[in-house]
Amino acid sequence: STCTSSNMIARSLQTLMRCASHRLASTSTPVLHAAPPCSMHAWGPVPMHLTPAEQLRARRLVISAATEAEQPPPMPLGTRAPQAARSYSLRPISKDDVEFSFARSSGAGGQNVNKVSTKVDMRFDMSKANWIPEEIKEAIRTAEKNRFNKEGVLVVTSQRHRKQMQNFDDCLTKLQEIIDAGVEACTVREADAATVKKVKDSIKAGQERRLQDKKKDAMRKKERSRKDWD
């Protein structure tokens, strides 16, 4: 029995050694199989041994895979795509950029308004202003659409002051404020930590107020349904 068990152990060891040697041989010297002939196209290699229908299907799969690889991964729901921070540095508007005319004013001035044309009518043609980017022009047209005439010219007036030059400066100030508002609308800034914390605190406070209002309404309805009134 002892010889039989020793013989079985020896055979098992030989079998294990033989399997290990075959595995090492297969990993060290892998067998190379010849690849099927392929035809090179702009969309990648396509095997020649396929039928025309299968080749067309393979080409479509290769093209779709390349298109999906080029596209960025989809953004999660409820998030916005990150935008690069942009800043604009525009020169202030001057009297050389506008056209203006004067008229009799109906504002402050007493009898002076019947003698002197103190009202200022100022027109700014943004299509000729090459120093303003197009995205800012579009923002201004959207925000101040009621100030543009049929020719697409921005029109502002002023009759606030008694003096003609003061109204003229007031018109220039109005135009500069409109341009600054357009720049502010197109400028993308990165929110700092303080701003993010402030917004989160505001949202949290709003949710707490909403819950408190719901509790008050529930208590009010519960009091209405009481049956133990005196």
Side-chain angles (χ1 to χ4, degrees), residues 102-153:
F102 304 102
R104 299 292 173 87
S105 174
S106 60
Q111 293 298 321
N112 183 61
V113 298
N114 299 325
K115 302 176 183 178
V116 182
S117 298
T118 57
K119 178 182 178 181
V120 179
D121 184 5
M122 188 171 292
R123 300 170 183 270
F124 177 47
D125 190 0
M126 288 197 307
S127 61
K128 299 179 181 179
N130 298 327
W131 50 279
I132 300 179
E134 289 297 329
E135 56 268 20
I136 296 180
K137 292 180 181 179
E138 291 297 328
I140 294 174
R141 292 189 184 99
T142 303
E144 304 291 339
K145 58 183 179 181
N146 294 329
R147 292 181 181 269
F148 286 88
N149 56 15
K150 295 181 179 179
E151 290 77 17
V153 179

Side-chain angles (χ1 to χ4, degrees), residues 93 97-103 119-127 140-141 143-159 167-168 170-176 178-179:
I93 192 171
D97 302 321
V98 297
E99 297 178 358
F100 52 88
S101 60
F102 304 102
K119 178 182 178 181
V120 179
D121 184 5
M122 188 171 292
R123 300 170 183 270
F124 177 47
D125 190 0
M126 288 197 307
S127 61
I140 294 174
R141 292 189 184 99
E144 304 291 339
K145 58 183 179 181
N146 294 329
R147 292 181 181 269
F148 286 88
N149 56 15
K150 295 181 179 179
E151 290 77 17
V153 179
L154 181 60
V155 181
V156 294
T157 60
S158 178
Q159 52 184 357
N167 288 329
F168 184 86
D170 187 45
C171 284
L172 283 179
T173 303
K174 289 181 180 179
L175 286 177
Q176 187 62 49
I178 291 173
I179 296 174

Side-chain angles (χ1 to χ4, degrees), residues 191-204:
D192 53 351
T195 304
V196 173
K197 184 177 182 301
K198 184 177 179 180
V199 172
K200 288 183 178 180
D201 293 343
S202 178
I203 294 174
K204 183 178 179 181

Side-chain angles (χ1 to χ4, degrees), residues 34-229:
C38 299
S39 60
M40 296 301 296
H41 297 277
W43 47 78
V46 177
M48 294 293 295
H49 67 280
L50 300 177
T51 62
E54 292 176 346
Q55 289 185 10
L56 180 60
R57 191 178 300 109
R59 292 168 187 170
R60 291 176 179 175
L61 290 175
V62 171
I63 294 173
S64 62
T67 306
E68 292 178 358
E70 293 176 358
Q71 293 179 355
M75 296 292 296
L77 295 177
T79 59
R80 296 182 179 179
Q83 297 181 356
R86 292 178 296 176
S87 60
Y88 301 91
S89 178
L90 305 182
R91 64 174 179 83
I93 192 171
S94 63
K95 64 180 181 180
D96 298 330
D97 302 321
V98 297
E99 297 178 358
F100 52 88
S101 60
F102 304 102
R104 299 292 173 87
S105 174
S106 60
Q111 293 298 321
N112 183 61
V113 298
N114 299 325
K115 302 176 183 178
V116 182
S117 298
T118 57
K119 178 182 178 181
V120 179
D121 184 5
M122 188 171 292
R123 300 170 183 270
F124 177 47
D125 190 0
M126 288 197 307
S127 61
K128 299 179 181 179
N130 298 327
W131 50 279
I132 300 179
E134 289 297 329
E135 56 268 20
I136 296 180
K137 292 180 181 179
E138 291 297 328
I140 294 174
R141 292 189 184 99
T142 303
E144 304 291 339
K145 58 183 179 181
N146 294 329
R147 292 181 181 269
F148 286 88
N149 56 15
K150 295 181 179 179
E151 290 77 17
V153 179
L154 181 60
V155 181
V156 294
T157 60
S158 178
Q159 52 184 357
R160 183 183 303 175
H161 305 284
R162 295 184 60 181
K163 301 295 183 180
Q164 188 181 89
M165 289 306 299
Q166 290 179 344
N167 288 329
F168 184 86
D169 294 338
D170 187 45
C171 284
L172 283 179
T173 303
K174 289 181 180 179
L175 286 177
Q176 187 62 49
E177 291 176 353
I178 291 173
I179 296 174
D180 293 343
V183 172
E184 184 71 20
C186 294
T187 301
V188 179
R189 294 187 177 90
E190 295 181 357
D192 53 351
T195 304
V196 173
K197 184 177 182 301
K198 184 177 179 180
V199 172
K200 288 183 178 180
D201 293 343
S202 178
I203 294 174
K204 183 178 179 181
Q207 292 177 352
E208 292 178 354
R209 286 195 301 269
R210 181 179 62 84
L211 293 176
Q212 291 295 331
D213 293 340
K214 289 183 67 175
K215 290 180 180 179
K216 290 180 180 179
D217 293 340
M219 292 297 297
R220 188 182 301 112
K221 292 180 180 179
K222 186 176 180 180
E223 290 293 331
R224 290 175 185 171
S225 61
R226 286 178 53 187
K227 297 182 179 180
D228 57 343
W229 296 103

